Amino acid sequence: MYKVRFLIISARKELSVKYKKLIDNLCHDAIISKNLSDALLLIQKHEIEFIIISDTIKEKLSEFIKKIRILTYNSRPVIIAVSKSSDIKDKLEILDSGADDFIGEEISKQEFQMRIKAHLRRYLESSINPLTHLLDKKITIKAINKSIFNNDESVYLLIKIKGIKQYRLTHGEIAYEKVLQTLGAIINSTLASDDFIGHIKEDELILITNILRAEKIAAFLVFAFDNILNKFYSSDEFENNFTIKSDDNIQEAKDYLMRLFIAAIEKKAEDKDYKGIINSLEELIKLCDNSPNSTYVMDRIKLKGETSALKKKNKVLIFEYDNALSYLLKNVCEINKIDAKLVNNEEEFMELYGEFCPDVVVLDWGRDKKSKTLEIAKIISKDNIKLIFSSAYLNKKEILKSGADLYLPKPYEINDIMDYIKKYLNDFP
């Protein structure tokens, strides 16, 4: 999630604290200033995107807004004026001076938050890439700069698809767009609430996460990309692992299939702005160039946390006949701090089921119409364990009768099953 930074300018402490609490409740950041000189220092130091100005300041509100608008011309923050005046002339004068909105002091907390949310929605929607629905370069740069000044252990991942420009030329614009859309969806399925993902170029992304999750995310994205790659090529291209663009009588360099390259670096004390971060990532990702497969490289990533300090993991047992899908599910679970184990036969399942004591079971019907896992489902249902049952056959009634909590027809989206896994795990104390 991207956190927008607010600056509240008010000479009355109770008013500014009230607005700050309301903004904090919307999961965004707010800092307070009492006058213009302090406000200018904060605007220069921080990535201020919204400014709330109260008429409790010493200067005339409309004149003050004009000064702020001139001094923030390049960044163009959203300015919201707050006044106790209800005179229509005052409102018009304030809006004409450069304010984006006028709010009366008597406004209720709920209406204040709704107005702020409306401005946030317009602000962020105007910065969304229409293809991937991820945030654009402008917001990505702001997110990097903000994270540099935060007292945390941020890790920056540069995500690049090697060969996508050539793929665009040979397979066309629609196929190219589908690749980016799919990658965006896969990345979104891995994100925690405090992670950020956005574009730095049209086909390159920056992901900001913490030091404990960085390598797991990188490993999963590489794995997931390789496992969906066949959807973007003909069977002949995928089997050969390269694309032929011309006839036999014309020379041609071997053009490998697309590969996902990821470089990751920790935030360092000497980092001052986004440019140093991007340059370091661009240099590091060059180490991936000679790899024939998707890969990632980490620079000085050290896991500093202790297992005992982490939250207790919930347990998911996965019985899926499709090996690629089962490993994909396991990796997504682990990225979401869920303890997941795999089995691929009935005997192993029953043995591990008793030892592992899962909270949720993901069960697959199998490869033929006569399922061997229906009896397992009936056993699970007696133990009051949440059961997700997937199938490529249309047998909803039979599956639900066996005790399943969710019937999931194949093929399904990873996001869909993960939403249900998280929902069922939250049912447990």
Side-chain angles (χ1 to χ4, degrees), residues 124-297:
L124 292 175
E125 284 178 354
S126 67
S127 302
I128 287 177
N129 182 291
L131 188 59
T132 61
H133 302 293
L134 302 178
L135 292 166
D136 63 13
K137 180 179 179 179
K138 177 185 71 175
I139 298 294
T140 300
I141 289 172
K142 289 183 178 183
I144 296 172
N145 285 336
K146 286 180 185 180
S147 70
I148 289 172
F149 293 104
N150 290 340
N151 185 25
D152 58 20
E153 295 181 320
S154 292
V155 177
Y156 308 94
L157 284 74
L158 173 61
I159 303 168
K160 179 186 294 189
I161 304 176
K162 180 71 172 180
I164 193 168
K165 290 181 173 61
Q166 186 59 50
Y167 180 85
R168 186 179 193 174
L169 291 173
T170 56
H171 291 76
E173 199 67 24
I174 294 175
Y176 163 80
E177 292 177 357
K178 194 67 177 176
V179 173
L180 291 180
Q181 289 168 349
T182 303
L183 179 60
I186 292 172
I187 294 172
N188 266 324
S189 73
T190 73
L191 298 184
S193 60
D194 54 348
D195 291 337
F196 171 85
I197 181 69
H199 287 265
I200 198 65
K201 296 180 181 177
E202 183 183 69
D203 51 10
E204 293 184 17
L205 303 169
I206 293 289
L207 194 155
I208 305 174
T209 186
N210 62 52
I211 199 166
L212 294 174
R213 288 167 45 78
E215 188 159 7
K216 286 185 177 180
I217 291 175
F220 165 70
L221 293 179
V222 165
F223 172 85
F225 186 81
D226 281 349
N227 276 277
I228 55 93
L229 195 59
N230 63 320
K231 298 181 182 295
F232 304 114
Y233 292 97
S234 68
S235 56
D236 189 54
E237 286 175 320
F238 187 73
E239 185 178 342
N240 291 328
N241 195 32
F242 60 85
T243 299
I244 298 175
K245 303 185 292 293
S246 56
D247 296 333
D248 289 345
N249 61 341
I250 300 175
Q251 71 175 39
E252 181 179 334
K254 183 180 281 187
D255 185 25
Y256 285 102
L257 305 189
M258 291 179 291
R259 292 160 285 164
L260 190 69
F261 289 166
I262 301 175
I265 60 171
E266 290 182 39
K267 180 171 68 179
K268 299 181 287 293
E270 58 267 28
D271 291 325
K272 301 303 180 185
D273 61 23
Y274 78 96
K275 294 178 182 177
I277 298 290
I278 298 299
N279 289 338
S280 297
L281 287 168
E282 291 286 1
E283 286 301 311
L284 185 61
I285 207 166
K286 291 177 183 177
L287 297 176
C288 300
D289 281 346
N290 293 326
S291 174
N293 303 307
S294 296
T295 189
Y296 66 91
V297 57

